[in-house]
Amino acid sequence: MATAVSTLGYMDAPIPTKPLDEAIPAAGDAADARRGALPNLVVIGAQKCGTSGLHYQLGLHPEIWMSRPKELNFFIEERNWNRGEDWYRVYFDARARVRGESSPNYTAYPQHLGVPERMRSVIPDAKLVYVVRDPLERIAAHWVHNYAKRREKGDLRATLTHANTSYVVRSQYHMQLQQFLGHYPFEQTLVIEQEELRSKPEETLRRVFEFVGVDPGFSHPHVGKQRHETSRKTRASRFAVRLERLSGTRGGRIVPKNVWLAIDEKLARRRPIERPDVRIALGPDALQVLREDAERLRELTGRDFETWSIWDA
């Protein structure tokens, strides 16, 4: 039975300013880029598995510099790879012990090809963190995200299983991780569950801190704090989509984005999105693919992922 979706996220407070002597330089300045550094930590995904919350909480640690914006997508050829290494360096401060970014699109094979190869050629010693969750829950959240932005319409099963979509492959965590293990040793990767970040945030973050080589005893009042939004996820109106496009134009940027959003809230009526029953929509063949992949992930990591609904008959 479908249930209304409520969103769960981390606190809206910005990542605190680091106790460094100067702010990070603006992207695009070649001279300033030489003062930057390459990252030694990459959160490689998966999409809709809590990477934004992890990025925020890692950034609370005084020894860690997390990029702003979060998703640089540098190692994706059709995104930012052609901008070059100097462009990438600008987003990291060389004085931080650990410098990281979080781009869930890095684990979207075969939609994006060659990501691990490019990453290995630039940052071969980087630590990789991969966040996973119940594969069916991830697919449902992914669909809701796209539907809210009016990117999806029509038959649910045809959408989820279409060859040009990434719903199923992004939930094949073992297959995605194997793309990286052909270029990075397993010891440089850490797999954690989104549920761990929610139910045991301090313990889970301590494992991540130990893995990346910073003080694991660090604590902060914001660590583990989550918020339940009272408003449910809604589908954007066509008017909202047009406003979003306008806000990206030169003229549209004159008006702050939050003003466009306020206008839409006043003028557009929205209905809560019903979470789809992706188990029925996927069908037995796709479910079997996900189960087999999850079994291989169990063998690789030594973890059972026993709460995942993928094991249910």
Side-chain angles (χ1 to χ4, degrees):
M1 181 176 180
T3 55
V5 173
S6 63
T7 57
L8 174 68
Y10 287 79
M11 297 182 63
D12 288 325
I15 297 174
T17 302
K18 299 293 184 185
L20 300 174
D21 299 331
E22 58 187 20
I24 193 168
D29 188 316
D32 285 338
R34 286 192 292 271
R35 297 210 302 269
L38 290 171
N40 50 18
L41 165 64
V42 182
V43 179
I44 58 175
Q47 185 186 29
K48 310 311 294 180
C49 289
T51 59
S52 294
L54 177 60
H55 186 95
Y56 167 76
Q57 300 215 41
L58 288 174
L60 297 173
H61 198 293
E63 297 178 84
I64 300 177
W65 178 279
M66 297 302 290
S67 68
R68 298 189 283 277
K70 165 202 166 195
E71 299 182 25
L72 298 180
N73 290 310
F74 175 63
F75 298 105
I76 298 176
E77 185 174 23
E78 57 271 33
R79 296 289 182 90
N80 291 320
W81 178 248
N82 64 352
R83 293 177 181 266
E85 189 177 308
D86 280 350
W87 175 87
Y88 192 45
R89 285 174 173 270
V90 166
Y91 290 96
F92 308 98
D93 194 295
R95 293 164 293 182
R97 179 188 297 272
V98 172
R99 305 168 297 277
E101 65 136 320
S102 307
S103 294
N105 285 323
Y106 289 159
T107 45
Y109 175 88
Q111 184 180 27
H112 300 306
L113 301 173
V115 170
E117 293 90 332
R118 295 185 199 98
M119 190 177 294
R120 173 72 182 183
S121 70
V122 177
I123 48 173
D125 298 323
K127 300 287 185 68
L128 309 180
V129 175
Y130 192 28
V131 193
V132 300
R133 70 186 290 190
D134 182 319
L136 299 185
E137 287 295 316
R138 197 217 65 79
I139 290 172
H142 187 176
W143 183 87
V144 168
H145 173 82
N146 285 341
Y147 189 79
K149 294 179 176 294
R150 304 191 75 89
R151 295 173 181 169
E152 299 292 9
K153 61 185 72 173
D155 181 73
L156 178 63
R157 181 168 188 174
T159 297
L160 297 182
T161 59
H162 195 282
N164 291 336
T165 65
S166 62
Y167 290 103
V168 175
V169 296
R170 285 183 188 249
S171 280
Q172 290 177 245
Y173 306 127
H174 180 270
M175 183 271 287
Q176 296 292 345
L177 189 56
Q178 281 299 313
Q179 310 310 309
F180 287 85
L181 294 181
H183 303 274
Y184 285 86
F186 183 69
E187 293 72 23
Q188 282 179 229
T189 65
L190 177 68
V191 178
I192 60 175
E193 287 190 74
Q194 182 188 38
E195 183 56 36
E196 294 176 308
L197 289 169
R198 290 174 168 175
S199 62
K200 300 179 290 185
E202 292 185 355
E203 177 182 331
T204 305
L205 283 171
R206 191 176 304 116
R207 286 172 50 212
V208 180
F209 292 154
E210 290 177 346
F211 173 69
V212 300
V214 296
D215 178 15
F218 169 77
S219 63
H220 189 281
H222 288 173
V223 167
K225 284 193 176 180
Q226 300 174 333
R227 59 177 174 81
H228 290 267
E229 294 180 351
T230 54
S231 61
R232 292 175 294 182
K233 195 87 170 182
T234 58
R235 183 162 164 82
S237 66
R238 291 186 177 86
F239 177 67
V241 173
R242 288 194 291 269
L243 282 178
E244 185 175 4
R245 291 172 182 166
L246 179 61
S247 68
T249 65
R250 177 176 294 183
R253 285 194 293 269
I254 296 174
V255 179
K257 187 174 182 179
N258 61 339
V259 174
W260 292 121
L261 294 175
I263 293 173
D264 175 56
E265 289 293 337
K266 291 292 184 182
L267 299 182
R269 291 184 178 181
R270 299 187 179 189
R271 294 181 179 179
I273 300 171
E274 298 296 316
R275 182 181 290 273
D277 188 338
V278 297
R279 176 183 294 278
I280 294 176
L282 287 170
D285 291 343
L287 288 173
Q288 184 61 26
V289 168
L290 292 171
R291 286 194 193 99
E292 290 175 356
D293 183 88
E295 285 283 8
R296 287 190 287 269
L297 187 66
R298 275 177 159 177
E299 294 173 4
L300 176 67
T301 62
R303 306 183 59 181
D304 54 32
F305 307 111
E306 61 181 356
T307 62
W308 288 2
S309 62
I310 197 68
W311 312 120
D312 298 341

